Amino acid sequence: MRQYNIPENSIITVAGTVGVGKTTMTKRLADALGFQASFEQVDVNPYLDLFYDDFKSWSFHLQIYFLAERFKEQKRIFNVGGGFVQDRSIYEDADIFARMHYENGTMTEVDYKTYVNLFEAMVLTPYFPQPDLLIYLDGPLEYILERIHQRGRPMEVKTADEYWVELHSRYENWIRNFDLCPVLTLNIKDYDLNNQHSLESIIKRVEKSIKKPDAN
């Protein structure tokens, strides 16, 4: 494995809408860098199926669950140390998902304020570790919708495309204003993670984008 000009204790977070390939990117990049991978645990989430059946009844429960799990994982990453590539950021839940359900009326104002208060108390503090680089995966909306349907998760396939369209739009607005760390935007149609040359080109862009005090 060749050595890359990326500090060995870097936290790289992979962000993007549903179906854009975050998990695959996390795995390939972590393997290539010799970093640990932190994955979103979809299969053990007790609220996910309930949420897709009834947004209004379960959006608050789901977001509180995600907040707790991501916060625990962030603490684990900090305690374990070393380099990590992380599947999805904690910021997407608050700035995109929770806000969308509040603004669409599928989360009450009381629940939303409770969620925001918890998020700010847990995350918006000087000692909460922020990522050193956020890789934002994007692509044409039609292509992303095709990927969601091809993946075939029943809870996603039965969800109206309008939901994914709005989510994609909100992600685009969110990333334009995200400034907590450097951002590297990748179009999912521009690379093939099964191709070593393509993966190497992404890592070169990561090397150029990441900035840390101890970086050479």
Side-chain angles (χ1 to χ4, degrees):
M1 180 184 298
R2 86 169 179 85
Q3 296 298 310
Y4 298 102
N5 188 26
I6 297 172
E8 63 182 12
N9 62 335
S10 299
I11 299 175
I12 300 172
T13 297
V14 181
T17 191
V18 173
V20 81
K22 296 182 297 297
T23 300
T24 303
M25 175 64 76
T26 298
K27 179 173 177 19
R28 295 285 194 276
L29 193 58
D31 288 347
L33 297 178
F35 282 13
Q36 299 171 79
S38 171
F39 295 107
E40 183 177 39
Q41 301 299 321
V42 174
D43 294 339
V44 297
N45 189 318
Y47 294 109
L48 207 53
D49 285 334
L50 296 168
F51 163 75
Y52 277 107
D53 282 335
D54 186 349
F55 289 166
K56 193 167 187 177
S57 295
W58 296 103
S59 62
F60 177 70
H61 301 75
L62 179 67
Q63 293 308 316
I64 290 295
Y65 177 85
F66 273 136
L67 179 61
E69 291 300 305
R70 294 200 208 286
F71 185 77
K72 286 190 294 184
E73 181 64 5
Q74 206 72 17
K75 285 179 61 180
R76 185 183 76 85
I77 289 172
F78 178 78
N79 290 331
V80 169
F84 268 88
V85 183
Q86 184 179 29
D87 178 2
R88 182 169 281 170
S89 74
I90 199 169
Y91 310 104
E92 293 160 78
D93 288 319
D95 295 338
I96 299 174
F97 289 90
R99 181 174 296 173
M100 178 173 72
H101 285 287
Y102 167 62
E103 291 178 352
N104 287 345
T106 49
M107 183 184 292
T108 68
E109 183 175 2
V110 171
D111 284 348
Y112 181 66
K113 286 182 177 178
T114 298
Y115 173 85
V116 170
N117 286 337
L118 281 170
F119 176 84
E120 291 178 349
M122 295 166 71
V123 177
L124 302 185
T125 58
Y127 49 82
F128 185 84
Q130 296 176 351
D132 299 296
L133 177 69
L134 186 137
I135 298 177
Y136 178 67
L137 304 184
D138 197 9
L141 175 59
E142 296 78 10
Y143 186 56
I144 293 172
L145 289 174
E146 182 181 331
R147 287 166 63 103
I148 291 172
H149 288 288
Q150 286 180 346
R151 181 160 67 179
R153 289 179 181 169
M155 58 189 174
E156 295 175 354
V157 172
K158 70 183 180 183
T159 301
D161 283 352
E162 287 77 11
Y163 179 80
W164 309 121
V165 171
E166 179 178 2
L167 194 60
H168 184 263
S169 175
R170 285 179 179 267
Y171 261 98
E172 290 187 325
N173 291 332
W174 171 74
I175 199 62
R176 281 196 287 266
N177 298 295
F178 184 85
D179 59 1
L180 295 178
C181 69
V183 174
L184 170 60
T185 298
L186 300 175
N187 189 309
I188 58 176
K189 296 203 75 173
D190 291 344
Y191 59 81
D192 175 8
L193 291 177
N194 293 315
N195 181 289
Q196 186 61 29
H197 177 75
S198 184
L199 182 59
E200 287 285 341
S201 68
I202 290 173
I203 294 174
K204 288 179 181 178
R205 294 183 64 182
V206 170
E207 288 179 317
K208 292 179 181 178
S209 300
I210 197 164
K211 296 180 177 63
K212 295 192 69 172
D214 57 343
N216 294 328

